[in-house]
Structure formats: structure tokens, C-alpha cells
Amino acid sequence: MAKKLLVLSVDALFYKDMEFIKDMPNFRMMFEQGSYTKGMKAVYPSLTYPCHVAIMCSQYPQGSGIYHNEKLDPGNPAPPWFWWHKDLKCKTILDYAKEHGLTTAAFNWPVLGGCKNIDYLQAEIWARPSENEDQFEVYNSVCSPAIMDGIYQKYQHHLIGNKTPYYDEFACLCAEDVIRQYTPDVALVHFSLLDHTRHANGLYNNAVTAAMAACDGRFGRLVQAYKDSGVFENTNIIVLGDHGHIPVKQVFNPNIILKEQGLIEVDENGRLKDYKAYCNSAALSCQVVLKDKNDQQTREKVEKILEGFVLDHSIGVQEVITKEQAKELYNLTGDFDYVLEGCDDTAFGNDLTGSVIKDADTRDYKFSVTSHGHMPEKGNDPAFIACGPDIKKGVVLERGSLMDEAPTFAKLLGFEFPNANGRVLEELLK
Ligand SMILES: [Zn+2]
């Protein structure tokens, strides 16, 4: 019988968190029977969507097209995210698995909305539905018929708008059901509670430990579903994280300075009317876009302003990198002309009015008390733990990369991952 694969992404699970989860009732099995790495290098910006795409595609933003969580939409406080599989410029582990005749499933995994190669798809559509949207319509637009024709109806009452931990609970219930009924060959599951708890409360505290315990409980239910369907002994399991977090002490709103310099125009309500240059926060980094790429005068003016940000140490901008440098150093391309990297304690906001420097707050993940989006060489590395019939016991590998994950999943599923930017973590495999 071919082996099954479960990949559980616990959003914002770090290598450093292993000391907390290694004795939890369900995660314990991963450490007693499996192997792990001392963290994985994330991608830039270290945001959930670019990182999850890296995990499932072995591609940097240049190859995937996913360079931010959100699509560029200057002035829109709630822009659309990269929800759709059609937003991807590359194939995922599930696309290739399907081509190899395997059955596929995904639950709350980002950037998979509407994917036709997933038999059981409950896609993440963060952060929707909003208050005035119909929940069924929103889910029906991104999920597969196999989910919307029965499974959604069984569990939809667990969803409370766009709030956690209800997202995780709904995903877990759908996944358990699909595993029991259909035992898909490969399933990707994403829990976001730990990340949200960190954004709201900080890196380590009682709330964070409780969120880890909640993820442990849901992980235990997924494992039980494999046991109940009689395939547990034949299932390889990976538990991983997507990025680190860094504490935020201040929030810098560069658009207010661009407005003062005549590069952004606002209406009488303070809303964006037009712009020549706009800074789009990616949390601990920021992507600066010029509306007219040929406007040399604006380009020179913007460059001078951005250089000034670095020289003024109260602002907290570590460095400015050009579009060309972002591509060369980080394989990061997208709808921007410059990237600002914050100093360790500074996040970016998109405010157009008010104070240039503000305190962290929980209105938005981008500038809450801890956040991410920083260069991948900073902060905590995401975790990678594996166990199962094809995984060695007790191997501890040095740091790997998110790029190594999809090729390793493919090897466990019995095929080679094409065009990978990483390697199969052979040392962990039997
Ligand atoms: Zn994340």
C-alpha cells in the first residue's frame, strides 16, 4: 500500500518552541519516534502567504508570484489577499501529487482557493467572511464541491465570522471527517491560532502556551482520524512552522511623510485620493511603489526621502534595498520599486494621517505587539519535525530551508519534485 502524508502547519511555530511542545500529549510522539531540524530558513518577506507557498512549491516570490499576503491596493484598509490558486505562477505539491494519480486534500491552507487539483479542498480565505458577507457564498467560492456538498454543512456552525480559534476548529473538523471517510493520499492542514495569539500577546506567555496546547489537542484528533481509518501505521507526518516573530516596540507610518512631501494626496476625510509613491507595509518590512516608473523626478525625490529614513535613527528603518537588490539577494520580485527593512523593534503602518511614530497595537497583524515580514536571517526560525514509517528516529539536522520541504514531501509520496529550489532532506529519511 502506498504511504499517506499529513503536513500540519502550525502558523508561527518556531524551532525554539520544541522545548514547550515536546512533552505535550500528542506532539510528544513526533519527538519520541521522529526526527527534526534546528529550524528552517524562511523567505523574504517572512509573511504567512509567501512562506506557505514556499513550503508547498519550493519557490521564492520571484517564482511563485506571491510577494506579500495582500494584493497591492493603495488606500484600501482591507485589500484582497492572494487567496487563489490561480494567483500562483508555479505548481504545488498537490498539483504534482494529482498528476501522479494521488488523492489530495487541503484545509485552511493559504493560496489554494478554487484549485481544481484538490479533491477535498477547504481553502483559507483570510480574513473573510466579513460582517456583511454571506458565509456560504464565501466558502463556496473557494472550496471544492466535495466539501460544500455535506461536510461544510455539518460543521459550518463552528465558524464565527472571521475569528480564531473557530477557523482552526472548522478546519480540524473538516479534516478529521475527510481523513475518516476518504483517507486522502496527501493532506495539508493549517492552524493559525498560535500566530494570532503571538500577535496579540507577545512571543512567550501563558496565552501562547495555551495556544500550543490547543494545537496539540487538534493535532491529536487528526492522528486519531488516521488511526480510526486504519492507515496510521502507513502515514508519514510532518509538523512545521512558516516564519518567526519579532517583538514590536514602535510603528512607523512612512506614508504620512510622503504626503507631507506632496507624493500622496488625500481627500477631506483623510482617504487616499492619488499617489506618486506609496509605502505598502509588509509588517516588519515595507514595499515602496512608484505609480509612474518613468517619472525620474519622483524617483529621485523618493530615494532621497528613503535614505533620510535610514539616517534618522528615531524612525527605525534599518536599510533600503532596491527592486534589483531584492531580486538578487532574496529572489523577491513584485509590484514594488524599493523595500524598507525595519530595525528589530520597528513595524510599518499604512496610515495617511496622525502621528508618524505610534505604539504597537492589535488592530492589524502588521503592527501588533509581535510581528513578522522581516528578513529571514533575523528572528526565530520556523520548526520542521517529521515522523512515520519512512522517517528515521532521533536524527537532528542543522538548519534547513522552506525550499527543502516540498521536495521532501514529494520523495515521501514517491516522486521527484520538479524545479525545486531546495533539496530532499535525505538524512531524515529511511
Ligand atoms: Zn504565518
Side-chain angles (χ1 to χ4, degrees), residues 11-12 48 52 195 242-243 372:
D11 205 295
T48 296
H52 275 81
D195 179 64
D242 55 343
H243 50 68
H372 42 99

Side-chain angles (χ1 to χ4, degrees), residues 208-225:
V208 162
T209 312
M212 289 175 186
C215 291
D216 178 74
R218 292 196 176 96
F219 171 62
R221 286 161 50 192
L222 297 178
V223 169
Q224 189 60 46

